[in-house]
Amino acid sequence: MSSLAAPRAPISTCAVAVDTALLTIRDGQLRLLLIEPEPSALRGWWALPGRRVRDDESLDDTAHRSLSELAGITAPGAHLEQLRTYGDPSRDPRGRVVSVAYLALTPFADDPVDPGRARLFDVGELGATGGPQLAYDHERIVTDALERARAKLEYTSLATAFVPEEFTLADLRRVYEAVWGVPLDPANFRRKVVSTPGFVVESDKTASPGPGGGRPAKVYRRGSATHLHPAMLRP
Amino acid sequence: MSSLAAPRAPISTCAVAVDTALLTIRDGQLRLLLIEPEPSALRGWWALPGRRVRDDESLDDTAHRSLSELAGITAPGAHLEQLRTYGDPSRDPRGRVVSVAYLALTPFADDPVDPGRARLFDVGELGATGGPQLAYDHERIVTDALERARAKLEYTSLATAFVPEEFTLADLRRVYEAVWGVPLDPANFRRKVVSTPGFVVESDKTASPGPGGGRPAKVYRRGSATHLHPAMLRP
DNA sequence: CCGGTTGTGGTCAGTCCGACCGTAACGATG
DNA sequence: CATCGTTACGGTCGGACTGACCACAACCGG
């Protein structure tokens, strides 16, 4: 976009990286994928999986690669969206790195994680003492990722990215409860979900009850809607 | 997807730029700032004001600079927020450029624009025949910017970024009508705005009526709220 | 069989919103 | 000054949606 012909300061370039905040749900709790950056680095420091952008690679491709190379996650059905770009000149002590952060969501069914130094942390531990210390400005990225996820559950069908192909309304409700951190009324949640056009479609199957018993639930699949009208507002 | 220890391609860097979509309101219509990229370039092509990121410069600073250097806009009270980053390898035919797009909003009071090749276009002309042809992938950026602005009017107090310090509820309503492109009921709009805590605060002044006469309106200022509860939903 | 648990359907009151009407306060016109 | 058109302001009414409940259905375990 240069327009002036006068001799300018030499055109400089930046290192561009992608850092991915992957969220999933385990045991009813929202969890975040973190990795130990280097074995030689300080113990107890954790970071988001990140990779440098290659010359012929789109940003989305780099995000996928950061998950596959650093955590062995190749889930093709995972939701992936750009979050925000962090470019403060002093955000990385090793030099100027502009980082495009991504938000990734996977269903809670996929167990195969942790091929190396990756781990899933309960997001409740993050700010607390004893929790992982985050490197660089990754704590801020995580804060933004959580807020994005919480907000988009309200007005999009993003919650279905956390559940497998077939799910019950209780599964979906536990997603909202885990991400928002508040309990929801099962009956009202059900009324809201089924009355929102295109959110979920009922299948003819029924799920088997849990270990404690209880009435079997109907099985649903994702609907075609991406935006919810009206929105499901946080209590 | 290779993670092998074999010698990798040399670490490469990208040109990083900031492109800014500035929106304002003129004559009751939503307008977008565009510039002619180069005198020697094809006639009739327009682009968002953009600048390369300097070594010691934050992305926000580059966005401010793109407005001041290319359009003479230095409004310190302008709202500026990051929109999204566009990094497709083929988005710029001259080479790999990763562009961080920004959304800027200024009150409709500021007239001093157009020091060079800058112009304010009615957003209604953009897709239509006879409107400006946008270079690179800037049409997509503009689409995303408009959708961001329209969506954020719903659940934030962003509309006050389009009006001066002191404004009437009719001014604020015309902002919503211009951005959303739909007429709103004045009475219902008023009820909604004044009942949303922290949106606006009443001053003791009254504005003078327009040329056609009419009862003078009370003058309001911005409130302290950033998010609206409940939201002001599009009709 | 019986109590505990979970899913499903319904009621009821309060809130919010769109559509609408009436009044207040101005400028313009005769 | 009287009237009219225009805009601001305040209120009403019915429908839609929501949260707090309650009741029943369907399963498990003892």
Side-chain angles (χ1 to χ4, degrees):
Chain A
M1 317 282 159
S2 72
S3 58
L4 299 180
R8 281 221 314 247
I11 302 274
S12 58
T13 58
C14 299
V16 179
V18 167
D19 291 309
T20 307
L22 181 134
L23 296 175
T24 191
I25 291 178
R26 277 283 223 273
D27 308 323
Q29 289 185 318
L30 184 63
R31 297 193 128 98
L32 171 72
L33 179 75
L34 293 175
I35 61 169
E36 274 189 303
E38 308 224 350
S40 59
L42 277 70
R43 296 286 172 183
W45 286 83
W46 294 83
L48 299 172
R51 298 261 88 164
R52 296 281 294 272
V53 176
R54 292 184 180 159
D55 279 347
D56 57 346
E57 192 179 47
S58 73
L59 300 175
D60 287 30
D61 290 340
T62 311
H64 276 110
R65 190 163 57 84
S66 70
L67 290 178
S68 65
E69 290 185 2
L70 292 169
I73 294 176
T74 59
H79 173 87
L80 197 61
E81 72 175 51
Q82 198 187 105
L83 177 61
R84 190 189 153 80
T85 297
Y86 301 83
D88 195 77
S90 60
R91 62 176 291 277
D92 192 324
R94 298 167 303 185
R96 180 78 189 259
V97 178
V98 170
S99 171
V100 183
Y102 270 73
L103 171 65
L105 310 178
T106 58
F108 46 62
D110 315 330
D111 282 37
V113 173
D114 305 23
R117 306 178 300 277
R119 229 182 98 182
L120 284 174
F121 286 91
D122 180 356
V123 298
E125 309 176 33
L126 291 182
T129 60
Q133 288 291 330
L134 291 181
Y136 316 119
D137 57 354
H138 286 191
E139 182 156 1
R140 166 119 191 266
I141 298 179
V142 170
T143 301
D144 293 346
L146 290 174
E147 180 49 36
R148 170 78 66 95
R150 286 173 181 139
K152 285 197 87 168
L153 284 203
E154 287 191 318
Y155 58 96
T156 72
S157 58
L158 195 65
T160 58
F162 279 107
V163 295
E165 275 291 323
E166 302 191 322
F167 55 90
T168 67
L169 293 188
D171 292 333
L172 195 62
R173 176 170 47 84
R174 279 185 273 269
V175 168
Y176 278 90
E177 292 175 333
V179 176
W180 286 349
V182 295
L184 298 177
D185 182 272
N188 291 338
F189 179 82
R190 166 187 184 73
R191 176 182 61 188
K192 176 67 182 156
V193 169
V194 300
S195 72
T196 302
F199 193 5
V200 297
V201 294
E202 189 177 338
S203 94
D204 49 0
K205 302 187 197 172
T206 59
S208 51
R215 173 173 169 177
K218 292 178 190 168
V219 170
Y220 290 80
R221 297 181 215 270
R222 294 180 246 271
S224 57
T226 59
H227 288 257
L228 306 183
H229 288 297
M232 169 123 48
L233 298 176
R234 279 178 268 194
Chain B
M1 306 274 175
S2 75
S3 62
L4 304 177
R8 282 219 315 244
I11 302 275
S12 58
T13 58
C14 298
V16 179
V18 167
D19 291 310
T20 306
L22 181 133
L23 297 175
T24 191
I25 292 178
R26 277 276 223 274
D27 307 323
Q29 288 185 320
L30 185 62
R31 297 194 129 99
L32 171 73
L33 178 75
L34 293 175
I35 61 170
E36 272 190 305
E38 308 223 351
S40 60
L42 278 70
R43 297 284 172 184
W45 287 83
W46 294 83
L48 299 173
R51 297 262 86 164
R52 296 280 295 272
V53 177
R54 291 184 181 160
D55 279 347
D56 57 346
E57 191 179 48
S58 73
L59 300 174
D60 287 29
D61 290 341
T62 310
H64 276 111
R65 191 162 57 84
S66 70
L67 291 178
S68 65
E69 290 185 2
L70 291 170
I73 295 176
T74 58
H79 173 86
L80 197 62
E81 72 175 52
Q82 198 187 106
L83 177 61
R84 192 189 150 81
T85 297
Y86 302 83
D88 195 76
S90 59
R91 62 177 292 276
D92 191 324
R94 298 167 303 184
R96 181 77 189 260
V97 178
V98 171
S99 170
V100 183
Y102 270 73
L103 171 66
L105 310 179
T106 57
F108 46 62
D110 316 330
D111 281 37
V113 172
D114 306 23
R117 306 179 299 277
R119 229 183 97 184
L120 284 175
F121 285 91
D122 181 356
V123 298
E125 310 176 31
L126 292 182
T129 61
Q133 288 291 330
L134 291 182
Y136 317 118
D137 57 353
H138 286 191
E139 182 156 1
R140 165 115 192 269
I141 298 179
V142 170
T143 302
D144 292 346
L146 289 174
E147 179 51 35
R148 169 78 67 92
R150 286 173 180 138
K152 285 197 87 170
L153 284 202
E154 288 191 318
Y155 58 94
T156 71
S157 58
L158 195 64
T160 57
F162 280 105
V163 294
E165 275 291 323
E166 301 191 324
F167 55 91
T168 68
L169 293 188
D171 293 332
L172 195 61
R173 176 170 49 83
R174 278 185 274 268
V175 168
Y176 277 90
E177 291 175 334
V179 176
W180 286 348
V182 294
L184 298 178
D185 182 273
N188 291 337
F189 180 83
R190 165 185 185 75
R191 177 183 59 187
K192 176 66 183 159
V193 169
V194 299
S195 71
T196 301
F199 193 5
V200 297
V201 294
E202 189 177 338
S203 95
D204 49 0
K205 302 187 195 170
T206 59
S208 51
R215 172 173 171 178
K218 294 178 190 168
V219 169
Y220 290 79
R221 298 182 214 271
R222 294 180 245 272
S224 57
T226 60
H227 289 258
L228 307 183
H229 288 297
M232 170 124 48
L233 297 177
R234 277 177 270 195

